[in-house]
Amino acid sequence: MNTSADLNTLLDCEPVPTGDFATLDVSRRHRTGVPEVVFAASKTPEQTLRLLSELYDRDPGSPALATRCPDEVLDTAVGHFAERAVPVQVDRVARTVVVGSLPRPRGAVTVLTAGTGDLPVAREVLVTLRMLGVGGCLTADVGVAGIGRLFAQLPALRGADCLIVVAGMDGALPSVVTGLVRTPVVGVPTSVGYGVAAGGFAAAATMLSSCAPGLTVVNIDNGFGAAAHAAKIVHAVHRTPQDDGGPHATDTAAGKVAPPAPHEPAMPTDGTNG
C-alpha cells in the first residue's frame, strides 16, 4: 500500500516537485478555493519565475500570483513570459505579479485605508481579490484623525459583501467601522507608524483587543490573507455550481457581479504599474 498516495487522494492533494527547492500544491485551489501563491520575498528571482510558470502551466484557466516581489522580478516578469503570449500584470505598489487572465469578478469587497502609507498593503489586497475572482474597490485615506471622511462613505460601505480595513499607527479604524455596519469586517494592521507603533504590533494589539464584536484580524501587513478570507465569504454568499472548480464563476441569478467603482484606481493592464 502506498500510504502517501492514499493520503494525497484522501486530501485531494497533488504535490508537484519543482526543481530541488519546492513541492507545489497544485490542487489547493480546487480543494480550498484559494490557490497556492508564491511568496517571493525569501526566494531568488529565478525560483519565483519558475514557480509562477509551473503554477500557470498546471492550471492555465486560473491566474498565478506572486507577492512581495523584489525589483528584479517586477522588472523581468513581463519579458519572461513574452514568448508565450501570456498576460502578465505587474503592480509596483503592491509588489505583485499576476500571470494569466483574471476571472470575471463577482461580489463586492471594499478596501479602506486609514492613510496613504497603507496603500501598498491595500493594493496587495485588491490584486489578490481580483486573482480570486472577487470584485474589489478602494476607499483611501479615511482614518480616524479626520473621521468625517469615513462617515461620508457609510452608505456605500453598507452595500458591500465584506470590508477590509487596512490601518497602521493606532489601528483604530477597523473598530470604528465594525461598530457602524452589519457587513463583515477584516482588519489588517500595517507596519506604518512612529516609535511605539513598533512595526505594526501596536495596531495589531488594538485590533485584537477591540470591543466591536465581529471584527476579524489578520497578521501585520498580510493583505493576501485578508483577501483570501474575504473571497471565501463572497464565494459562500454568491455560490454557484461552478464553485467546485474554483473561482471562475459566471453571473447567475444567485450571484452578484460588481463593476469597478468610480473612485477605484485603475489596475495595470500593460504589464507595468507606471
Side-chain angles (χ1 to χ4, degrees):
M1 175 183 292
N2 189 335
T3 304
S4 178
D6 290 344
L7 184 59
N8 287 338
T9 300
L10 177 66
L11 297 177
D12 188 15
C13 181
E14 182 186 353
V16 175
T18 303
D20 59 357
F21 58 89
T23 302
L24 290 172
D25 178 10
V26 298
S27 56
R28 188 179 303 176
R29 181 178 69 87
H30 183 274
R31 188 176 67 250
T32 71
V34 179
E36 180 160 14
V37 167
V38 182
F39 180 74
S42 54
K43 298 176 176 64
T44 67
E46 294 76 18
Q47 288 172 337
T48 295
L49 292 170
R50 182 170 177 183
L51 291 170
L52 278 172
S53 296
E54 187 71 38
L55 285 171
Y56 180 76
D57 289 344
R58 293 280 174 169
D59 191 7
S62 298
L65 169 66
T67 65
R68 304 304 164 93
C69 296
D71 287 340
E72 187 173 348
V73 172
L74 299 174
D75 292 340
T76 61
V78 174
H80 181 82
F81 291 95
E83 292 185 0
R84 301 173 58 182
V86 177
V88 178
Q89 296 189 36
V90 173
D91 189 317
R92 293 185 178 273
V93 177
R95 306 200 71 83
T96 56
V97 174
V98 178
V99 179
S101 300
L102 294 175
R104 185 180 184 185
R106 57 178 159 152
V109 174
T110 298
V111 183
L112 297 85
T113 68
T116 303
D118 302 312
L119 277 174
V121 176
R123 289 292 289 259
E124 181 179 277
V125 173
L126 287 169
V127 170
T128 304
L129 287 172
R130 289 161 188 169
M131 184 272 295
L132 294 173
V134 174
C137 63
L138 176 67
T139 298
D141 198 20
V142 290
V144 297
I147 201 164
R149 300 171 297 178
L150 172 66
F151 294 158
Q153 302 294 331
L154 282 178
L157 299 184
R158 288 171 174 154
D161 294 311
C162 184
L163 302 174
I164 297 177
V165 185
V166 184
M169 296 288 189
D170 55 11
L173 184 60
S175 291
V176 173
V177 172
T178 304
L180 293 170
V181 299
R182 298 172 62 95
T183 310
V185 179
V186 183
V188 188
T190 69
S191 50
V192 174
Y194 295 108
V196 295
F201 282 89
T206 297
M207 295 182 197
L208 288 169
S209 59
S210 172
C211 65
L215 172 62
T216 297
V217 182
V218 299
N219 205 350
I220 298 168
D221 291 336
N222 188 9
F224 167 77
H229 182 71
K232 289 198 171 193
I233 291 173
V234 168
H235 292 161
V237 171
H238 303 292
R239 189 167 183 83
T240 72
Q242 288 81 11
D243 281 344
D244 287 340
H248 293 264
T250 57
D251 190 17
T252 68
K256 177 172 61 177
V257 175
H263 58 283
E264 179 182 1
M267 297 298 288
T269 56
D270 60 353
T272 65
N273 187 45

